[in-house]
Amino acid sequence: MTTLPHDQLEPANSAAPTDGGGTYHDRYQPAHHFKSREHEFDAVKMGVWLLLSTEILLFAGLFVFYAIMRMKHPEAFVHGSSLLDWRWGLINTVVLLLSSFTAAASVRDAQLGRQGWLKVNLFLTFLFGGAFLAIKFIFEYLPKISEGKLPGIWYSYPNWVDANEPLWWGLYWGATTVHASHVIIGMGLYLWLLRRAYKRHFGPRHYNGVEGVALYWHIVDIVWIFLFPMLYLIH
Amino acid sequence: MAHAAHADGSQAHGSGHAAGHGAGHAHEHVIIPMRTLVTVLVLLMTFTGLTVLAANLEIIFATIFELKIPQYINVLVALSIAAVKSIIVAAYFMQLRYDNPLNTMIATFTILVLTFFLGFTMIDLGSRGTLYEYKAEQVIPGGIGGVAIAGGVQVPSNVSIAQFAREQADKKIEQMISEGTPLPKFLGVRLVHIVDELLAAKKPVPVAYAAYLAGKPELFKAAHAHGKDHTDAHGDDYGSAHSSSPDVSRVKTGITLPELVPAGAASGQDAPGRDAGPGTGPGGDDPDPK
C-alpha cells in the first residue's frame, strides 16, 4: 500500500506541478492553533466524522419512522412500494455508486498531485449527482405529483388499497427529499472544490477539503444504499 | 512516482513511524491503489444486482413453488446486503480501514446509538398492543379528518384524507365524463374500480361510465394487474387482511364490456341511462356508502 510522506518530509513527487515558488498546496501552512499539518488534518477529519454521525442520526429518525409505520401498516407499505418502479431506483443506485467511486478517485488524485485527473473526477462526481437528481425529478417526482401521490394534506390519489397509504407517501417524500437535499448540498461542495482545484489548492501536502467532502458524499451514498431496498424492493 | 515505489503492496507500518512522531501520529495517509477502488466498485455493483435479484427471485419462487415466504425474509436479505455494502464503502472509500481508529469509534458508536433507537422503539411497539388495545379504536385510518387540505378544501371530520381523496376523484370523474373530457390514466383506473365496486354490490352501472370504458381495454388491464403483483406472491396474507378495503370486493376476473353496456345505450341517448344509475342523486356520489 502506498503511503504519503509525513509532514516532516518534503513531498517527493516529481509529477506535482509547481508555479515558480511553489503552488498553494506546497506553501500551505496550518492554522496557527494547530501544531502541524498532520495535526490539522486529523482534527479536520474527525470534525467531518462527527458531522457524519449527526447525519446518520438524522436519517436514523426516518429509519425508525419507517420501522414503526411498516410494523403498524404493512399492507399500506407493500402496496405503496409496488407503485414505485424499482428500475429507476436501480439506475439511481448505480449512478450514486459511480459517483462514490469518482469521489474516492478524486481523493487519490489529490494525494498524488494529479491536477488534471483531480478536476475530471471532481466534475464527474458533480455530474453524477446532477444525473441522480434529474432522474429522480423527471421520472419519479413529476408523475407522482401529477397523480396526487403526495404526503399528508396534499394526498389526492384515489387508487389506494389500504387507507393508510398517505403515511407511506409521507415517508417516501420525507426520506427521498431529505436525501436529495443532501445531494444538492454535496453538488454545491463539489463545485466549490472544482473552483479551488482550478486554483491548484490541493496537492499531496494539503487535500483536507477533497477528503472531507468525499466522506460526506459517501455517507449520502450509504443512506441511499439503505433507502433503495427499503423503498423499492419490499413486497 | 518516487514515493509510490517504496511501500507498494504492504500495509502502513504505523509502529515504525510512531517512534519518531509520538503516539498520536501512529497512522499514515494511505493512498488507496486504483485496483482496490475498482474492485470495490465492482463489488458494490454486484451486491446491488444481487439485492434486486433476491427480491425478484423471491416472487418467482413463491409463484412457481406456491411458497409462502414470510415478509421478514425479504427485509432481512435486503437489509443484510445493504449493511455489507455500507461496510465496504466505509472501509475502503471512506478509508476507515487505514484511518485513525478514533474515526471508526465515532462511526461505530453512532451505529450503536441507532440500534438503541430502533431496538427500544421495537420493544415499545411490540408490547404496546397488550397495554393499549382499546386505543386502536380511536385511530382513523388514512389520516385525520376535519382538517383543511391543500387548496383550502375542508375534509369532513368523519372522513379520512385517503377516503376524501377517493370521493373527490369520483366526483371529478363524473364531472369529466359528463363534459366529455378524457381522463388521465390513474383516474381511468379508478373508474374501472368504481364499476367493479358497483358490480360487486349488484348495482347498475351508469351508462356513461360503461360507454367511456368501452374500447379502453388497457384500463381494465392496468386496474386488474394492480393488486396482482403482490397477491400472487403472498396471496393468502392479503385477502384476509384487506377485509375492509375496496380492493377485496373487486371482481378479479376481467369484465367483458357487452354485459356492462345495456343494449343500444352505448350508441347515443345516454341521458336516461345516467338517471337510472345509482349514487347520482343529490350529494350521493359516493359509490361505496358502506
Side-chain angles (χ1 to χ4, degrees), chain A residues 16-180:
Chain A
T18 48
D19 302 330
T23 56
Y24 178 95
H25 61 86
D26 279 336
R27 286 181 276 108
Y28 182 78
Q29 292 299 319
H32 67 275
H33 49 284
F34 292 113
K35 277 185 292 192
S36 61
R37 279 197 296 269
E38 186 66 22
H39 186 202
E40 186 183 54
F41 179 85
D42 279 353
V44 167
K45 202 165 181 183
M46 194 179 98
V48 173
W49 268 105
L50 286 174
L51 169 75
L52 297 191
S53 74
T54 66
E55 293 283 358
I56 294 171
L57 294 181
L58 165 73
F59 283 100
L62 288 167
F63 292 152
V64 170
F65 176 65
Y66 177 91
I68 295 173
M69 289 307 156
R70 167 114 205 222
M71 267 179 88
K72 285 182 80 83
H73 311 294
E75 300 90 8
F77 269 46
V78 169
H79 183 252
S81 176
S82 76
L83 296 177
L84 301 181
D85 191 341
W86 60 266
R87 285 166 292 192
W88 291 123
L90 176 65
I91 289 172
N92 261 345
T93 308
V94 170
V95 168
L96 266 199
L97 288 179
L98 285 172
S99 79
S100 249
F101 172 77
T102 53
S106 71
V107 174
R108 183 182 147 82
D109 294 329
Q111 288 174 322
L112 293 174
R114 296 172 173 167
Q115 299 294 335
W117 276 107
L118 173 64
K119 285 173 217 158
V120 169
N121 276 321
L122 290 177
F123 186 63
L124 277 180
T125 313
F126 173 81
L127 272 192
F128 282 133
F132 176 88
L133 288 180
I135 291 169
K136 188 133 215 76
F137 192 74
I138 296 168
F139 299 108
E140 298 216 57
Y141 283 173
L142 282 184
K144 287 181 182 65
I145 291 171
S146 72
E147 295 185 353
K149 294 168 180 168
L150 291 166
I153 61 170
W154 293 285
Y155 183 84
S156 63
Y157 183 69
N159 301 326
W160 43 265
V161 168
D162 188 288
N164 289 303
E165 273 174 46
L167 286 174
W168 155 264
W169 292 113
L171 174 85
Y172 171 81
W173 284 92
T176 58
T177 51
V178 170
H179 179 263

Side-chain angles (χ1 to χ4, degrees), chain B residues 53-76:
Chain B
L53 196 71
N56 287 325
L57 270 188
E58 209 194 280
I59 298 177
I60 294 169
F61 277 151
T63 323
I64 294 177
F65 302 114
E66 295 182 358
L67 289 175
K68 267 174 76 174
I69 301 173
Q71 261 197 22
Y72 68 86
I73 300 228
N74 171 232
V75 178
L76 210 66

Side-chain angles (χ1 to χ4, degrees), chain B residues 245-256:
Chain B
S245 105
D247 213 36
V248 168
S249 59
R250 191 189 293 166
V251 181
K252 292 288 180 191
T253 51
I255 301 168
T256 47

